[in-house]
Amino acid sequence: MKKFLVSICGALLSVSSPAATLNVVQVAEPALECVFNPNCTNSIDSNASAFSLPGTTGTGFLRNQVVKGRSGAPAAGLYGYLYQIDLTGLSPTNGIQTPCFTNSLLCLTNLVAMSTNGVVCRTNIVGGTNLIACVTNVTPATNVVFCYSTTVPGTNIVQCLTNSTGNFICFTNVFPDTNISLCVTARFPERRFISCLTNNVGGSEVVRCRTNNGPVFSFVFDCLTNTVPCPGFAPCVSALSINFGNTVSNVDLNGSGTNGNQAFVLSTGGTGSQGPTSITQNGSVITLRFDPPICAGSASYYVGLLSRDGPETTRVALTTTDSSNVAVRARGPRSAGVSTVSCDFIGLQQAIAALSLTDLVGSDDTTRLQRQFSLLQTVNKAILQMQTGNFDDAEDTITDIHKRVGGDSDNNWVRGAAAQQIDTLANALRNCLNHSDDNEDDD
């Protein structure tokens, strides 16, 4: 049944727009300062959001800087947004700083025994010789089993829509790692292979026959290696995602005389020791990926993007190597027509995603998984409504979830303590949305 859920997720991914890879340039701090101010001195708005990771002690930070381009500078009128993942304040509880990954190896060996009859007969006749050589190979019936284990990594599914004002609105679903194993048994019947050859040579009549019976063994190997984090080790941060919007690429960021770069890495003169391996954009969401990931005791370089829009507080998602998400706050470009008020849906999403088949009500496993997926889609609908300022609609949508977990017991989709947990989270969100609507009306 897990395979069914993965198939649904794959279908969603296949219809979403492909992510575009951004052009990235390495910059030095002195040169970057001159991009925003002709005097090469800048007033920078700096802030940091604290977070923790399991298996560690201390505090990590997402550091964020915002700088405005001044008149006469290459980036005049633009805003630069810089982000750094700083885990230098974290230490693994097991005392080991080096990230650990292990290979999960699955091998199957089939020992196939084959008997071979080697028969050689030689007849020599005066005036000519008939040399007859015959070999019979017997392969007995055998079963050969092939197993394949496929690891579907934890993934963030980003869905984006366009609202009435023409802006992209995106929301993210997080699905954990899934292992799918498939085994096939092939039955091979007994087979006999006979090969004969006759040669005519001169000589006397001599008949010699010899039969050799000997076993022949064949080894069939089928192995697959999966790289997974070592159990008990602190997770590292492998990606950063932010709803950024459109970037600006018509600025010479490193003094090379060329434009077209959409992102920059402050690799000289700043702090940190590692840049992203790729920066991609899907709709309005920009994702920085790190391989190897950023682990406790280390920090990334500052990574920057340019925008025409001024700053506001937004949410940034940090993806870890144990496929969980850490939500933190940072400054990002202001999105016209999108409310800055936000209620936290992550707890409700995670509670629904963690439901087991025994928590769900349905006539069969397929029905139960479909209902779980429908609940997740209902949460996503409410997030989109909130982000577009439709708080009443979002509250009504969350009420639909309440009806499925805390309403009429005959129509509930979830049972027991899991239903109570989801209903509690849904009611808290309804209160948040109601309060946010009141605040918007006051404004």
Side-chain angles (χ1 to χ4, degrees):
M1 290 301 104
K2 287 290 185 183
K3 185 176 181 181
F4 172 80
L5 183 59
V6 172
S7 299
I8 294 177
C9 300
L12 286 175
L13 285 172
S14 64
V15 298
S16 61
S17 59
T21 301
L22 303 187
N23 295 324
V24 184
V25 63
Q26 307 291 320
V27 300
E29 186 170 13
L32 183 63
E33 291 178 351
C34 300
V35 170
F36 295 95
N37 193 322
N39 297 327
C40 300
T41 58
N42 294 283
S43 175
I44 297 176
D45 176 16
S46 299
N47 62 81
S49 295
F51 62 90
S52 59
L53 291 177
T56 65
T57 58
T59 303
F61 293 94
L62 174 63
R63 302 194 182 276
N64 177 212
Q65 296 181 353
V66 181
V67 56
K68 184 177 180 179
R70 301 301 177 182
S71 177
L78 303 178
Y79 292 86
Y81 295 89
L82 291 84
Y83 304 93
Q84 180 191 45
I85 301 170
D86 183 2
L87 305 187
T88 55
L90 290 178
S91 299
T93 53
N94 60 15
I96 300 177
Q97 298 287 337
T98 305
C100 175
F101 296 91
T102 185
N103 290 328
S104 175
L105 183 63
L106 173 66
C107 287
L108 178 68
T109 302
N110 292 317
L111 180 61
V112 181
M114 298 182 296
S115 298
T116 300
N117 296 325
V119 182
V120 179
C121 296
R122 179 175 299 172
T123 302
N124 291 323
I125 303 174
V126 176
T129 297
N130 295 324
L131 176 62
I132 303 175
C134 296
V135 178
T136 302
N137 293 321
V138 179
T139 303
T142 185
N143 292 328
V144 180
V145 181
F146 299 94
C147 287
Y148 304 90
S149 177
T150 302
T151 300
V152 180
T155 183
N156 292 332
I157 298 179
V158 180
Q159 292 178 290
C160 296
L161 299 175
T162 303
N163 62 17
S164 59
T165 62
N167 291 288
F168 283 106
I169 305 299
C170 297
F171 46 85
T172 302
N173 293 327
V174 179
F175 293 91
D177 290 348
T178 302
N179 289 326
I180 301 176
S181 296
L182 173 66
C183 293
V184 179
T185 300
R187 174 72 175 179
F188 295 95
E190 178 182 299
R191 295 180 180 181
R192 295 175 179 269
F193 305 94
I194 301 176
S195 177
C196 295
L197 180 66
T198 301
N199 293 323
N200 293 321
V201 297
S204 59
E205 183 176 354
V206 178
V207 179
R208 298 174 182 173
C209 292
R210 182 177 61 187
T211 300
N212 295 323
N213 293 319
V216 177
F217 297 96
S218 175
F219 292 89
V220 180
F221 294 92
D222 184 28
C223 297
L224 182 67
T225 301
N226 294 323
T227 301
V228 296
C230 295
F233 279 76
C236 305
V237 177
S238 58
L240 179 155
S241 298
I242 180 173
N243 191 346
F244 190 87
N246 295 325
T247 61
V248 177
S249 58
N250 61 348
V251 178
D252 180 8
L253 294 168
N254 61 352
S256 64
T258 58
N259 302 333
N261 295 299
Q262 299 161 292
F264 58 90
V265 177
L266 188 58
S267 56
T268 303
T271 60
S273 59
Q274 182 180 336
T277 51
S278 69
I279 302 178
T280 59
Q281 182 164 10
N282 191 336
S284 62
V285 177
I286 292 180
T287 301
L288 285 60
R289 291 182 173 83
F290 297 88
D291 186 13
I294 309 300
C295 297
S298 62
S300 72
Y301 293 129
Y302 271 99
V303 180
L305 304 160
L306 293 180
S307 174
R308 301 186 187 279
D309 299 319
E312 70 175 5
T313 300
T314 187
R315 175 175 296 175
V316 175
L318 302 178
T319 302
T320 61
T321 51
D322 62 355
S323 301
S324 63
N325 268 9
V326 178
V328 294
R329 298 286 183 178
R331 304 286 280 171
R334 181 171 53 251
S335 300
V338 180
S339 171
T340 59
V341 178
S342 179
C343 300
D344 193 346
F345 284 77
I346 291 180
L348 182 59
Q349 287 178 312
Q350 291 177 340
I352 295 174
L355 290 173
S356 65
L357 291 177
T358 56
D359 294 327
L360 294 157
V361 178
S363 58
D364 51 45
D365 288 348
T366 299
T367 300
R368 287 188 278 271
L369 285 171
Q370 287 174 334
R371 289 181 171 180
Q372 182 184 27
F373 184 71
S374 178
L375 289 173
L376 286 171
Q377 289 295 86
T378 303
V379 176
N380 294 337
K381 178 182 177 181
I383 293 174
L384 177 61
Q385 291 167 333
M386 178 196 68
Q387 291 176 333
T388 54
N390 299 319
F391 296 100
D392 285 339
D393 292 342
E395 186 178 351
D396 291 341
T397 300
I398 294 300
T399 301
D400 291 340
I401 294 180
H402 163 72
K403 294 177 181 178
R404 292 301 183 185
V405 299
D408 186 352
S409 60
D410 293 335
N411 297 319
N412 279 1
W413 286 2
V414 185
R415 59 166 63 95
Q420 296 177 2
Q421 179 191 18
I422 292 174
D423 196 32
T424 299
L425 293 168
N427 286 330
L429 280 171
R430 290 164 65 191
N431 292 333
C432 176
L433 293 167
N434 183 270
H435 179 69
S436 298
D437 191 24
D438 293 339
N439 289 341
E440 289 292 291
D441 291 339
D442 293 341
D443 293 339

